[in-house]
């Protein structure tokens, strides 16, 4: 699927600039990295709004950390 500079890669779990998540969010750049994961600048393809997407590392997911993420949001 091609949409301008964005693409969908359903075969890889690695994320990169231009990847479309959930057929909605086009990743533009990494704006932060930390122990819990990475934060990407992205565009909501439905509205055109700029958004931030936090992608969690699989090893840190758990009830306590999900609550922490919700408080951050």
């Amino acid at each position: 699927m091609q949409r301008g500079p964005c693409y969908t890669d359903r075969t890889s779990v690695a994320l990169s600039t231009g990847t479309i998540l959930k057929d909605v969010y086009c990743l533009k750049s990494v704006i932060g990295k930390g122990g819990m994961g990475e934060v990407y600048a992205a565009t909501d393809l439905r509205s055109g709004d700029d958004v931030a997407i936090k992608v969690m590392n699989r090893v840190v997911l758990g009830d306590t950390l999900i609550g922490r993420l919700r408080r951050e949001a």
Side-chain angles (χ1 to χ4, degrees):
M1 168 192 299
Q2 291 286 335
R3 289 185 187 162
C6 297
Y7 62 90
T8 301
D9 180 359
R10 299 192 186 281
T11 63
S12 173
V13 294
L15 299 177
S16 62
T17 300
T19 299
I20 297 177
L21 298 177
K22 300 287 188 179
D23 295 325
V24 176
Y25 303 104
C26 177
L27 302 182
K28 295 192 295 187
S29 63
V30 176
I31 57 176
K33 291 183 181 184
M36 292 180 65
E38 296 179 330
V39 179
Y40 292 84
T43 300
D44 183 324
L45 297 173
R46 299 168 297 185
S47 66
D49 291 341
D50 290 329
V51 297
I53 304 290
K54 186 165 194 171
V55 179
M56 304 294 291
N57 293 332
R58 287 183 185 183
V59 295
V60 299
L61 290 177
D63 290 339
T64 301
L65 293 174
I66 289 171
R68 181 175 161 191
L69 178 63
R70 286 189 177 135
R71 285 190 299 279
E72 278 185 25

